[in-house]
Amino acid sequence: MSVKIALAGNPNCGKTTLFNALTGSNQFVGNWPGVTVEKKEGKLKGHKDVTIMDLPGIYSLSPYTLEEVVARNYLIAERPDAIINIVDGTNIERNLYLSTQIMELGIPVVMAVNMMDIVDKSGDKVHMDKLGKKLGCEVVPISALKGTGIEKAAEKAVALAQQKQETPHVHSFAKEVEDVITAVEGKLGSDIAEEQRRFFAIKLLEKDDKISELMKQAPDVSAQIKELEDKFDDDTESIITNERYVYISSIMGECVTKANKKEKLTTSDKIDKIVTNRWAALPIFAVVMFLVYYVSVTTVGAFLTDWTNDTLFGEWIIPGAQTLFENIGCADWLTGLIVDGVISGVGAVLGFVPQMLVLFLFLAFLESCGYMARVAFIMDRIFRKFGLSGKSFIPMLIGSGCGVPGVMASRTIENDRDRKMTIMTTTFVPCGAKLPIIALIAGAFFDNAGWVSWSAYFVGVAAIICSGIILKKTKMFAGDPAPFVMELPAYHWPTVGNVLRSVWERGWSFIKKAGTIILLSTIILWFLMSFGWVDGSFGMLEAEQLDASILAKIGSAIAWIFAPLGWTQAGEGWKMAVAAVSGLIAKENVVATFGLLFGFAEVAEDGSEIWGSLAQVMTPVAAYGFLVFNLLCAPCFAAMGAIKREMNNVKWFWFAIGYQCGLAYVVALCIYQIGTLITTGAFGLGTVVAFVFIAAILYLLFRPYKESNSLSFNGEKILKNQA
């Protein structure tokens, strides 16, 4: 008989660690249908017929965040055979709020009190027998990190599931509240199961469903609710929230014994006094991340990536494959497809993998030890000023290395509006693949001036801030940022297994998603550049016949679009357009494409060979606009694939891509037209359009913030209460 067991608990209570320990490698990761929340399920070790479902970390079953909606819908609609409720033993009182809601579902529950090794070390005592009697469920002490007690918890859950034993509701609220709950239960329709009626009755009273319709049909119940609210001088939602905590407090004295501690501050508190200090937090964070990126991008990661690109593929695999296919007499088009399309495409992806893995290793360690949670807390004060939460900073930070994992990191943001806005703006931060474009423009037009580099990052940050302010004033993103509720777990040394598992999951996702998209796009680009019409016949072209390629025809057809940006001088506008389009495939393609277009088979990373040719077809102002366009427009295909996956909605995906390209075009146009006016005095229709765009942007930035004042987050009160 197959058994479904759900894991439920607060964020950072050790739920994922327990899931990994119970399932090992027998797990599957995807997204819940219709949403971007990650879905994990796996088979219990030694039990092929027992499925473990890892629900999102949540604070309650009230649907105020996407995670809470997903968890509640699964528990109500799927009705797992049992629930393992993971509770943080170091903060048990706050964790029990969710537990009281779970036990109202009428599903067998095993409570796993986690982090008991830390509890024992602190001298505190949790009396499991008393806690189990008070709550009416099995209670098992565990340490998910060390693996103690987890098998016992799983066995008890399987046994309960097989017995189909319902959890008794031994807890109750104050008599006045209980009477109203009972009255609402009696008015519920017969389509709601008996064991679920109490849960639905309470949800109705908490006003997260259509209680008004029920009240119209039951004036006697409506009178009881009014009487209850008058007596407690509050709304039913707050009354029930308060009564839950009253109940929890009433059992804590008997079930938990706190040690008499002379030292008030824990080790974590002492560390936090430094790393979350108002003045020291940001400098410390800057030093930490400098070291992370110095090792992963500049030193160790750079060495591994250079070896992969230059030696493994550049000297061994690609020349070897070229020689092999030539010796066996393979057709030129097939050799080009396999060597230049397939192998080079795979190499373009794998070249970034060593850097990404080193970066993921550092980030996994910082996340597991508890520091990244502090970073989000530190940045929240700044990000909230322009409509985002502190959690948005992590994806943007990761995105400075590569946009793909940066976009994927946005799934840690609970609020759907904030998540979507973060996905749309994360790739504005220059990633590693954009650095060659910055070096190319700085070298060809500005004598390698350092300001070009730092101004690129300034433009990216400014685009994020302005986008946050502007988008928050639209109906799609209206409303104040969601209340920032985040668990700050105690600092601890992560296990090697958990860190390596995190690195593998992120790395494999990067290889799988980025690899397939870039591989396909590279093959398409090879075909467009290698085939065309010469003397009226279509066929494969020589290297010097690039002007006749399909890609050249496409570039010529779209070159007029970029004329207002100054890219069409000297009749070479199609080359600028082609280079920009190739950047949509992979940003590092831009320099290589320029090399091919200007007749250089191979170019350095900064494109030094083509500086002179490029300077003849663009002015410095137009070149800087070209740089900004490539920084802000839609990212590479791999990152676009990640955006599509995380948005999980085609309309939202195209809105994000359209916004990025539109903003890039407008900013590049303003740079060229206003810059040309200042440097040469030239004034025309394009200049007028640029001033109109600037006026529109200023209006959108400074217009009254009406939407956020009229809308409020209805879960703020209950989330603050839970915190």
Side-chain angles (χ1 to χ4, degrees):
M1 175 177 110
S2 61
V3 172
K4 290 190 298 182
I5 298 175
L7 301 185
N10 288 183
N12 294 307
C13 67
K15 185 169 51 62
T16 300
T17 305
L18 176 61
F19 174 75
N20 290 335
L22 292 176
T23 60
S25 59
N26 303 317
Q27 53 183 255
F28 313 94
V29 181
N31 278 3
W32 292 88
V35 296
T36 56
V37 179
E38 191 172 76
K39 176 182 182 180
K40 285 187 176 181
E41 62 177 292
K43 297 294 184 180
L44 180 63
K45 289 180 181 178
H47 298 76
K48 293 183 179 180
D49 58 341
V50 178
T51 301
I52 306 289
M53 178 63 69
D54 184 18
L55 297 180
I58 56 175
Y59 290 102
S60 80
L61 290 180
S62 301
Y64 300 123
T65 69
L66 192 58
E67 280 76 6
E68 288 169 353
V69 172
V70 165
R72 196 179 82 164
N73 287 349
Y74 177 81
L75 292 173
I76 291 175
E78 298 295 328
R79 299 287 296 175
D81 300 300
I83 299 173
I84 299 179
N85 174 213
I86 300 92
V87 171
D88 179 359
T90 64
N91 200 354
I92 194 167
E93 185 170 1
R94 199 245 318 118
N95 277 235
L96 287 179
Y97 186 92
L98 174 64
S99 302
T100 61
Q101 292 183 316
I102 287 175
M103 286 185 289
E104 288 158 4
L105 291 166
I107 299 173
V109 175
V110 172
M111 179 177 289
V113 183
N114 193 21
M115 305 185 193
M116 286 305 297
D117 52 327
I118 300 175
V119 174
D120 294 338
K121 189 176 180 180
S122 69
D124 295 343
K125 298 290 183 183
V126 179
H127 306 290
M128 303 296 169
D129 293 340
K130 291 182 179 179
L131 186 61
K133 288 179 181 177
K134 290 287 185 181
L135 295 174
C137 68
E138 296 276 1
V139 179
V140 181
I142 70 166
S143 172
L145 197 62
K146 295 186 175 180
T148 57
I150 61 174
E151 292 182 2
K152 183 178 179 182
E155 289 170 2
K156 285 186 175 293
V158 172
L160 280 177
Q162 291 173 341
Q163 294 171 12
K164 296 293 183 182
Q165 176 184 342
E166 302 295 345
T167 304
H169 303 306
V170 298
H171 67 280
S172 62
F173 301 133
K175 185 177 184 306
E176 298 91 334
V177 181
E178 191 66 32
D179 289 342
V180 175
I181 292 173
T182 303
V184 176
E185 277 187 273
K187 297 296 179 181
L188 293 174
S190 58
D191 56 326
I192 297 176
E194 188 77 28
E195 65 273 10
Q196 292 179 291
R197 291 199 175 196
R198 176 183 172 86
F199 175 78
F200 277 97
I202 294 175
K203 291 297 109 183
L204 284 172
L205 289 171
E206 288 181 337
K207 299 179 181 176
D208 68 0
D209 283 305
K210 298 179 180 178
I211 189 172
S212 57
E213 293 299 320
L214 180 66
M215 295 305 99
K216 288 178 184 177
Q217 303 169 17
D220 54 328
V221 174
S222 181
Q224 280 186 268
I225 292 174
K226 181 69 168 59
E227 184 179 341
L228 178 69
E229 291 180 335
D230 290 342
K231 182 169 183 176
F232 282 86
D233 192 25
D234 210 341
D235 59 89
T236 51
E237 179 184 13
S238 298
I239 293 169
I240 291 177
T241 299
N242 182 67
E243 288 300 319
R244 286 191 193 279
Y245 279 111
V246 169
Y247 167 71
I248 292 168
S249 298
S250 71
I251 67 174
M252 288 299 296
E254 295 182 45
C255 301
V256 179
T257 303
K258 294 286 185 181
N260 293 323
K261 299 176 184 176
K262 295 180 181 179
E263 185 183 3
K264 292 183 178 180
L265 293 179
T266 64
T267 303
S268 290
D269 291 334
K270 290 178 181 178
I271 297 174
D272 280 341
K273 285 187 67 123
I274 299 173
V275 300
T276 62
N277 179 273
R278 179 180 291 270
W279 306 109
L282 287 177
I284 290 172
F285 173 66
V287 171
V288 170
M289 296 319 299
F290 171 78
L291 292 175
V292 167
Y293 277 90
Y294 181 74
V295 175
S296 60
V297 177
T298 308
T299 55
V300 177
F303 169 77
L304 294 174
T305 290
D306 290 344
W307 182 85
T308 304
N309 284 328
D310 301 337
T311 305
L312 181 62
F313 279 91
E315 297 180 7
W316 297 352
I317 297 179
I318 293 177
Q322 183 79 33
T323 303
L324 173 65
F325 286 113
E326 288 177 354
N327 290 340
I328 64 175
C330 191
D332 290 343
W333 69 267
L334 185 58
T335 301
L337 171 62
I338 298 175
V339 175
D340 299 328
V342 177
I343 298 177
S344 296
V346 172
V349 178
L350 296 184
F352 285 100
V353 170
Q355 277 186 331
M356 291 299 103
L357 292 181
V358 176
L359 178 61
F360 290 157
L361 182 66
F362 278 106
L363 293 176
F365 177 83
L366 292 174
E367 287 175 358
S368 299
C369 74
Y371 180 67
M372 277 305 188
R374 272 78 179 175
V375 173
F377 167 75
I378 293 165
M379 299 305 299
D380 183 65
R381 187 184 302 112
I382 300 171
F383 272 52
R384 188 166 291 273
K385 295 184 183 299
F386 52 91
L388 290 171
S389 74
K391 290 186 179 181
S392 300
F393 181 72
I394 305 300
M396 293 171 187
L397 177 68
I398 297 173
S400 64
C402 176
V404 175
V407 171
M408 288 164 56
S410 64
R411 63 180 49 179
T412 61
I413 303 171
E414 294 89 352
N415 184 272
D416 188 49
R417 295 190 304 265
D418 292 353
R419 182 192 293 114
K420 284 186 169 66
M421 192 186 300
T422 301
I423 293 170
M424 289 174 58
T425 56
T426 289
T427 55
F428 289 157
V429 178
C431 66
K434 295 176 183 177
L435 296 182
I437 307 176
I438 298 173
L440 172 68
I441 300 301
F445 296 92
F446 301 103
D447 196 24
N448 276 323
W451 66 266
V452 178
S453 174
W454 64 255
S455 69
Y457 283 88
F458 173 79
V459 168
V461 172
I464 291 171
I465 293 174
C466 292
S467 295
I469 295 172
I470 292 172
L471 292 174
K472 269 292 177 180
K473 295 178 182 179
T474 64
K475 290 184 178 180
M476 290 186 296
F477 296 96
D480 296 326
F484 188 68
V485 180
M486 172 172 268
E487 188 80 16
L488 296 182
Y491 289 102
H492 61 276
W493 286 103
T495 62
V496 175
N498 285 339
V499 171
L500 293 180
R501 183 186 295 275
S502 177
V503 172
W504 166 251
E505 287 178 355
R506 288 179 172 179
W508 175 242
S509 182
F510 172 79
I511 294 170
K512 185 170 58 176
K513 293 296 177 184
T516 52
I517 294 170
I518 288 186
L519 175 59
L520 177 62
S521 62
T522 304
I523 293 173
I524 294 172
L525 183 64
W526 167 83
F527 175 77
L528 295 177
M529 294 179 67
S530 301
F531 287 83
W533 290 267
V534 177
D535 298 329
S537 62
F538 180 81
M540 194 170 182
L541 306 175
E542 300 293 334
E544 63 274 8
Q545 297 176 315
L546 187 61
D547 288 1
S549 67
I550 301 173
L551 190 63
K553 304 298 182 185
I554 296 173
S556 300
I558 64 174
W560 64 271
I561 299 174
F562 303 102
L565 311 187
W567 298 3
T568 54
Q569 297 187 19
E572 302 284 358
W574 73 270
K575 294 183 178 180
M576 309 302 117
V578 165
V581 171
S582 72
L584 296 177
I585 298 171
K587 293 300 178 184
E588 58 269 29
N589 280 350
V590 172
V591 176
T593 301
F594 271 134
L596 291 173
L597 294 173
F598 287 112
F600 295 90
E602 293 185 7
V603 294
E605 188 176 14
D606 61 357
S608 54
E609 296 86 350
I610 59 175
W611 287 359
S613 301
L614 194 60
Q616 294 176 8
V617 299
M618 272 200 295
T619 65
V621 173
Y624 192 78
F626 179 84
L627 169 62
V628 170
F629 179 86
N630 281 277
L631 294 179
L632 300 183
C633 77
C636 64
F637 278 8
M640 280 193 244
I643 291 174
K644 186 175 185 300
R645 181 189 178 199
E646 297 306 314
M647 285 292 193
N648 210 23
N649 182 292
V650 175
K651 291 182 180 178
W652 271 107
F653 166 72
W654 285 113
F655 175 77
I657 300 302
Y659 177 80
Q660 292 166 342
C661 293
L663 179 66
Y665 189 90
V666 168
V667 175
L669 184 145
C670 292
I671 289 173
Y672 175 70
Q673 296 293 341
I674 305 299
T676 302
L677 174 64
I678 295 172
T679 55
T680 66
F683 187 92
L685 179 61
T687 314
V688 175
V689 173
F691 277 114
V692 171
F693 277 135
I694 291 174
I697 291 172
L698 291 175
Y699 168 73
L700 292 173
L701 283 172
F702 296 105
R703 68 172 176 153
Y705 204 170
K706 296 178 182 178
E707 295 292 345
S708 66
N709 292 332
S710 62
L711 295 176
S712 62
F713 185 66
N714 62 352
E716 185 169 0
K717 182 185 295 184
I718 192 166
L719 284 176
K720 284 183 176 178
N721 286 336
Q722 292 167 19

